[in-house]
C-alpha cells in the first residue's frame, strides 16, 4: 500500500513548502551564476589585455568549464557555516526530518542489512558487519534487523576466504544471517542488490546497503529507522559517512581534509537540495517497495564503456526514487557512520577513475523522461565535477603554449595572479569552513588532539591537497581522452590496508605526470621565469608526484603521524564501542593519559575466534549453479512460509 502524499503545496513527505525550496534554489542559482560571471569577467580581463588569440579564447572556455564546481563548493560551505553558527534552527531549516531521529516511538519496521562483496578481504569486511550486529543488539532492538552477505566474488581464493570468515565470525554475526553468492555478477553491484531485493525484499520495509569498508553504529541505524518510520514518503535517507581511523599517511591526511570539507558543504547543500538529496550507494536506509518498483536502472544504448550497464548507480537511483514521488534526504551531521579511504595515491586514482567512468555514463540519462529538474541538475553536476580536471589541465597547457610563442606580455600578469589566489582560496573554502566550525564549537578542537595539533593537521592537509590535485587532474584528463576512444577501467576489489609503495611501482603509474611537469617547468623558466612562483603549486604537484606517492604511503610516516596525533580524528582519540570491535588500541601509546589512544586498523584478536570452518550459521556450502537453483527454491519457500518471522541463518549459493 502506497503511503499518502502530502498536500501539493508541500514536498511529498510534508516536510517543507515547495515554494520555500524554490526560493532557496533560486537564491543558490543567483549566487553561483553571479559569482561565475565575475570570475569569467576577471579571466577575460586577464587574458584579453593585449588582444585576443585562439589560446586566450581556449583558456577562457576552460575557466567557464572548470570554475562552476569550485564556486558551488564555496557557496554550499558558506551557507552551511551560516546555518551551523548564524541560526539557532540551522539544522532544522536544512534537515527538518532530523526531528524524528530521537523520538521514543516503538520500532516497527523490519530492516535488511545487506553487505555487497566482490573479491574483497572477507575477514576485514565481515568483522565490520559483526561489529554492527553487536551494536544493534546492544540497543535492545536487534531483532528488527537481519544480515545479508551478497557475494559477487568469482575468485576461488576469495570465495574460500568468505566461507572461512563466516564460519569463524558466526558467534558474533548471530543466527539472523543469510549468505548468498551469485555465479554471474550481471549488472555489477546494482544487479547484486536487485537480485537480493527480488528474492528477499518482500519481507522487509527497509534495507541498509553497505560496502565492504562500511561501518555504522547501531544507535545511528536506529535513529535513521525512526526517521523513515515517521516519514513514509522518504524513500532514501543517506547518512554522512566519514573516514574511519587509518594507519596509512595518505588515507589519514585525505580523510582529515574530507571530514572538514564535507561537514559544512553537506549542510549547505541540504538547505537548497531539500527533498532531492544525495545517495552514495552505501550507509543509507532505502525503502524497499518503491525501490523495487521504480528504481530499476535502464540499460544504456551502445557498448561499454559509456553504454551497457550503469556503473555509478546511486545518484541515478535517487533520481528515479524522486521521480516516483518519494523524497531523498541526507543526515548532514557526523554521527556513527564510517567508511575507509584508499591507502595510496595510486589506489585513490584507480577509484576516482572508476567513479569518473560511471559518471560519464550520465550523459545518456540527462534526457530521461519525468525526472525532477533538481535531479537532472545533480546528474549534470556529477558529470561537470570530472570535466573540471581536464579544463584546468588544458588551461595550464594553453598558458605554457602562450609563453612559448612569446605571448607573456599580452597577459595582465598581476591581475591574473590575483585571480589565481582568489580561485585557490575559493577551492579551499569548504575545508576552511570546517576549520572555522571546529574553532567556533567549545571543546571541539580538543576532540582532534588540541588546537596546536589541529592547526598542524590543517597545514599538513593543505600542502597535501596542493601537491595531490595536479597529479590527479592530469590522470583524469588522460583517462577521459582514453574513454572517448573506448578504453575503460575494470571495477574490481579495492585496496584499503596500508602498504609501502615501491619507487618502481610509483614511477610506472606517475611518470607521465612527472614528464609533463618538467616540460612545463622548463617552458616557464625559459620564457617567463618571473611566473615560476605563481606556477609553483601546479609544477610541484606534477614534478614531485612520484616521491609524493612513495612518501605518503610509507608505513613509517603513518606510524609517526599516529604517535604525534597529527591529522587525528575524534574516533581515534575517544573510540566509540562499535569501532573498538574492529580496531585495536595500539599498546604503549598512553591510552590512559587523557583518554588518547592510537588505532591499529586490523581485525581484533577476538574477531578471528569462532566456529570451526564449515560449522555453525553463516557457513556457505555449495556455490555452483545447482546450488543457486536449490537456494532459490529454499528462499521462495522461506518467503512464503515465514515472511513475518526472522530468518534463520542460511547459505544460498
Amino acid at each position: 500500500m502506497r503511503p499518502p502524499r502530502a498536500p501539493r503545496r508541500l514536498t511529498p513527505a510534508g516536510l517543507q513548502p515547495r515554494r520555500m525550496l524554490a526560493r532557496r534554489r533560486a537564491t543558490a542559482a543567483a549566487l553561483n551564476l553571479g559569482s561565475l560571471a565575475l570570475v569569467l569577467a576577471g579571466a577575460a580581463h586577464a587574458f584579453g589585455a593585449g588582444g585576443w588569440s585562439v589560446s586566450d579564447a581556449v583558456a577562457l572556455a576552460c575557466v567557464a568549464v572548470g570554475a562552476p564546481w569550485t564556486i558551488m563548493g564555496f557557496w554550499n560551505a558558506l551557507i552551511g557555516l551560516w546555518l551551523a553558527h548564524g541560526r539557532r534552527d540551522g539544522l532544522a531549516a536544512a534537515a527538518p526530518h532530523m526531528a524524528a531521529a530521537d523520538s521514543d516511538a516503538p520500532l516497527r519496521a523490519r530492516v535488511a542489512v545487506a553487505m555487497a562483496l566482490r573479491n574483497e578481504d572477507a575477514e576485514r569486511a565481515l568483522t565490520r558487519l559483526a561489529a554492527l550486529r553487536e551494536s544493534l543488539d546492544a540497543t535492545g532492538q536487534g531483532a528488527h534487523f537481519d544480515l545479508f552477505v551478497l557475494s559477487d566474488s568469482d575468485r576461488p581464493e576469495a570465495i574460500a576466504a568468505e566461507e572461512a570468515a563466516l564460519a569463524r565470525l558466526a558467534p558474533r554475526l548471530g543466527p539472523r544471517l543469510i549468505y548468498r553468492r551469485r555465479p554471474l555478477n550481471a549488472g555489477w553491484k546494482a544487479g547484486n542488490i536487485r537480485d537480493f531485493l527480488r528474492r528477499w525484499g518482500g519481507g522487509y520495509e527497509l534495507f541498509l546497503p553497505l560496502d565492504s569498508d562500511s561501518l555504522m553504529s547501531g544507535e545511528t541505524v536506529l535513529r535513521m529507522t525512526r526517521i523513515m518510520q515517521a516519514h513514509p514518503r522518504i524513500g532514501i535517507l543517506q547518512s554522512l559517512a566519514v573516514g574511519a581511523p587509518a594507519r596509512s599517511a595518505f588515507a589519514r591526511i585525505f580523510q582529515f581534509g574530507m571530514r572538514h570539507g564535507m561537514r559544512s558543504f553537506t549542510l549547505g547543500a541540504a538547505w537548497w537540495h531539500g527533498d532531492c538529496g544525495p545517495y552514495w550507494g552505501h550507509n543509507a536506509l532505502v525503502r524497499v517497495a518503491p525501490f523495487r518498483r521504480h528504481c530499476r536502472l535502464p540499460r544504456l544504448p551502445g557498448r561499454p564503456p559509456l553504454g551497457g550497464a550503469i556503473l555509478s548507480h546511486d545518484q541515478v537511483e535517487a533520481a528515479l526514487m524522486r521521480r516516483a514521488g518519494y523524497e531523498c534526504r541526507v543526515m548532514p551531521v557526523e554521527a556513527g557512520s564510517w567508511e575507509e579511504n584508499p591507502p595510496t595515491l595510486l589506489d585513490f586514482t584507480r577509484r576516482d577513475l572508476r567513479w569518473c567512468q560511471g559518471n560519464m555514463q550520465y550523459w545518456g540519462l540527462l534526457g530521461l523522461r519525468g525526472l525532477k529538474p533538481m535531479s537532472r541538475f545533480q546528474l549534470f553536476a556529477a558529470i561537470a565535477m570530472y570535466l573540471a580536471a581536464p579544463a584546468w589541465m588544458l588551461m595550464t597547457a594553453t598558458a605554457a603554449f602562450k609563453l612559448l610563442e612569446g605571448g607573456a606580455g599580452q597577459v595582465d600578469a598581476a591581475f591574473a595572479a590575483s585571480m589565481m589566489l582568489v580561485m585557490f582560496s575559493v577551492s579551499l573554502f569548504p575545508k576552511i569552513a570546517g576549520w572555522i566550525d571546529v574553532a567556533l564549537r567549545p571543546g571541539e578542537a580538543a576532540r582532534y588532539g588540541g588546537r596546536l595539533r589541529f592547526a598542524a593537521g590543517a597545514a599538513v592537509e593543505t600542502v597535501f591537497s596542493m601537491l595531490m590535485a595536479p597529479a590527479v587532474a592530469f590522470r583524469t584528463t588522460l583517462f577521459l581522452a582514453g574513454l572517448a576512444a573506448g578504453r575503460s577501467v575494470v571495477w574490481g576489489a579495492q585496496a584499503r590496508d596500508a602498504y609501502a609503495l615501491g619507487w618502481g611501482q610509483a614511477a610506472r603509474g606517475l611518470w607521465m605526470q612527472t614528464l609533463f611537469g618538467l616540460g612545463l617547468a622548463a617552458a616557464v623558466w625559459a620564457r617567463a621565469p618571473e611566473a615560476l612562483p605563481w606556477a609553483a603549486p601546479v609544477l610541484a604537484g606534477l614534478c614531485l608526484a612520484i616521491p609524493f606517492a612513495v612518501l605518503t604511503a610509507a608505513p613509517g610516516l603513518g606510524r609517526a603521524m599516529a604517535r604525534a596525533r597529527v591529522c587525528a580524528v575524534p574516533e581515534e582519540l575517544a573510540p566509540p564501542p562499535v569501532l573498538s570491535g574492529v580496531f585495536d588500541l595500539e599498546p604503549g601509546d598512553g591510552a590512559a593519559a587523557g583518554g588518547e589512544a592510537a588505532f591499529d586498523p586490523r581485525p581484533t584478536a577476538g574477531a578471528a575466534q569462532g566456529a570451526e570452518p564449515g560449522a555453525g550459521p553463516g557457513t556457505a556450502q555449495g556455490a555452483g549453479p545447482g546450488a543457486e537453483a536449490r537456494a532459490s527454491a529454499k528462499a521462495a519457500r522461506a518467503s512464503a512460509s515465514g515472511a513475518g518471522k526472522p530468518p534463520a541463518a542460511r547459505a544460498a549459493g
Side-chain angles (χ1 to χ4, degrees):
M1 180 178 177
R2 290 168 62 91
R5 287 178 179 266
R8 287 190 59 82
R9 63 183 182 83
L10 301 176
T11 58
L15 287 166
Q16 291 170 308
R18 293 177 187 267
R19 288 186 177 180
M20 181 188 72
L21 272 182
R23 288 194 299 270
R24 290 181 179 181
R25 290 167 182 169
T27 300
L31 292 172
N32 280 273
L33 292 175
S35 300
L36 179 60
L38 289 175
V39 168
L40 291 176
H45 175 80
F47 295 134
W52 286 90
S53 65
V54 173
S55 58
D56 294 324
V58 170
L60 184 62
C62 289
V63 174
V65 173
W69 178 257
T70 303
I71 292 170
M72 187 165 65
F74 169 83
W75 283 113
N76 281 348
L78 187 60
I79 292 170
L81 190 63
W82 164 66
L83 290 170
H85 297 282
R87 289 185 57 164
R88 291 185 178 180
D89 63 341
L91 181 60
H97 52 284
M98 292 294 294
D102 298 315
S103 74
D104 55 1
L107 221 59
R108 303 182 307 275
R110 290 190 63 208
V111 183
V113 179
M115 175 174 279
L117 298 178
R118 177 166 168 78
N119 299 321
E120 318 231 27
D121 185 334
E123 187 78 28
R124 163 187 274 274
L126 295 176
T127 298
R128 284 149 179 73
L129 189 60
L132 173 56
R133 169 84 274 171
E134 292 167 341
S135 185
L136 287 168
D137 289 342
T139 67
Q141 302 290 338
H144 291 270
F145 300 87
D146 300 327
L147 306 184
F148 290 80
V149 178
L150 310 176
S151 173
D152 263 356
S153 298
D154 56 5
R155 296 176 185 167
E157 65 275 15
I159 296 167
E162 288 171 6
E163 296 174 0
L166 282 164
R168 283 195 297 272
L169 291 167
R172 295 183 63 196
L173 290 166
R176 311 172 66 86
L177 169 72
I178 292 177
Y179 169 61
R180 187 276 282 133
R181 185 174 65 81
R182 295 194 300 168
L184 297 173
N185 66 319
W188 303 96
K189 179 185 172 183
N192 193 358
I193 296 295
R194 176 64 55 179
D195 178 78
F196 150 70
L197 292 174
R198 176 181 59 82
R199 296 171 63 177
W200 289 288
Y204 299 92
E205 183 179 348
L206 307 169
F207 78 98
L208 176 68
L210 299 174
D211 283 349
S212 63
D213 64 332
S214 296
L215 182 60
M216 299 185 71
S217 72
E219 188 57 41
T220 293
V221 176
L222 250 63
R223 298 179 78 226
M224 295 175 70
T225 305
R226 288 194 168 98
I227 291 174
M228 296 292 274
Q229 278 190 176
H231 301 290
R233 275 284 172 176
I234 294 182
I236 297 175
L237 179 61
Q238 177 66 59
S239 69
L240 180 58
V242 298
R247 270 286 178 224
S248 157
F250 181 91
R252 184 183 187 89
I253 301 169
F254 176 79
Q255 66 194 31
F256 181 85
M258 277 294 292
R259 178 175 291 230
H260 298 297
M262 283 293 290
R263 195 165 51 245
S264 294
F265 179 98
T266 304
L267 183 61
W271 179 79
W272 61 282
H273 287 201
D275 56 341
C276 291
Y279 175 42
W280 300 320
H282 58 91
N283 295 44
L285 266 186
V286 182
R287 199 169 298 279
V288 170
F291 192 89
R292 291 175 70 186
R293 188 178 303 116
H294 302 291
C295 296
R296 181 180 294 276
L297 298 176
R299 187 171 182 85
L300 295 172
R303 300 177 60 184
L306 297 181
I310 295 173
L311 302 179
S312 293
H313 57 92
D314 37 25
Q315 195 57 47
V316 182
E317 289 162 342
L320 295 175
M321 181 69 81
R322 188 63 195 87
R323 183 178 73 172
Y326 289 81
E327 297 192 15
C328 300
R329 293 281 179 171
V330 66
M331 296 175 66
V333 293
E334 294 178 6
S337 181
W338 299 274
E339 62 181 351
E340 293 181 85
N341 288 294
T344 72
L345 175 61
L346 294 185
D347 292 300
F348 176 87
T349 55
R350 290 189 195 104
R351 185 186 73 170
D352 204 47
L353 296 184
R354 286 197 296 267
W355 290 352
C356 176
Q357 178 176 327
N359 284 20
M360 288 304 111
Q361 290 182 305
Y362 292 172
W363 283 114
L365 297 169
L366 292 176
L368 202 61
R369 294 175 59 183
L371 294 186
K372 301 293 181 184
M374 191 69 209
S375 298
R376 215 177 295 277
F377 165 77
Q378 288 167 330
L379 293 177
F380 178 74
I383 297 170
M385 176 175 65
Y386 282 102
L387 294 181
W392 292 124
M393 281 292 105
L394 181 57
M395 189 180 73
T396 301
T398 301
F401 176 77
K402 194 173 183 69
L403 289 175
L404 289 174
E405 65 176 6
Q410 300 174 12
V411 176
D412 187 337
F415 190 83
S418 301
M419 284 286 298
M420 190 183 76
L421 285 176
V422 169
M423 289 305 296
F424 178 69
S425 301
V426 167
S427 69
L428 279 184
F429 188 77
K431 295 172 186 176
I432 294 173
W435 304 338
I436 295 172
D437 177 54
V438 169
L440 293 178
R441 294 181 188 272
E444 188 69 8
R447 298 178 65 231
Y448 291 89
R451 291 184 179 274
L452 287 178
R453 285 191 178 115
F454 182 78
V460 168
E461 197 282 330
T462 300
V463 175
F464 172 89
S465 295
M466 290 172 59
L467 291 174
M468 183 179 78
V472 174
F474 184 83
R475 185 67 187 90
T476 303
T477 303
L478 291 181
F479 176 73
L480 284 171
L483 198 64
R487 299 182 60 184
S488 64
V489 292
V490 176
W491 285 53
Q494 300 179 45
R496 293 186 175 93
D497 284 317
Y499 66 93
L501 189 67
W503 285 94
Q505 187 179 1
R508 286 190 296 273
L510 298 164
W511 68 270
M512 294 188 73
Q513 282 93 328
T514 304
L515 190 62
F516 182 67
L518 291 173
L520 278 179
V524 174
W525 175 262
R527 295 290 187 174
E530 68 278 2
L532 274 175
W534 303 104
V538 174
L539 296 177
L542 293 169
C543 296
L544 301 177
I546 294 172
F548 172 81
V550 173
L551 177 64
T552 55
L557 178 61
R559 288 192 295 269
M561 292 184 70
R563 284 194 298 268
R565 312 286 193 265
V566 176
C567 295
V569 293
E571 296 87 349
E572 182 177 341
L573 305 180
V578 68
L579 284 184
S580 299
V582 176
F583 300 96
D584 266 338
L585 286 172
E586 186 178 29
D589 269 343
E596 292 192 357
F599 276 94
D600 180 12
R602 293 172 292 186
T604 62
Q609 305 302 316
E612 292 295 321
T619 305
Q621 302 291 343
E628 173 72 12
R630 291 192 298 274
S632 296
K634 179 190 280 188
R637 289 195 300 272
S639 177
S641 62
K645 303 175 184 178
R650 301 182 292 276

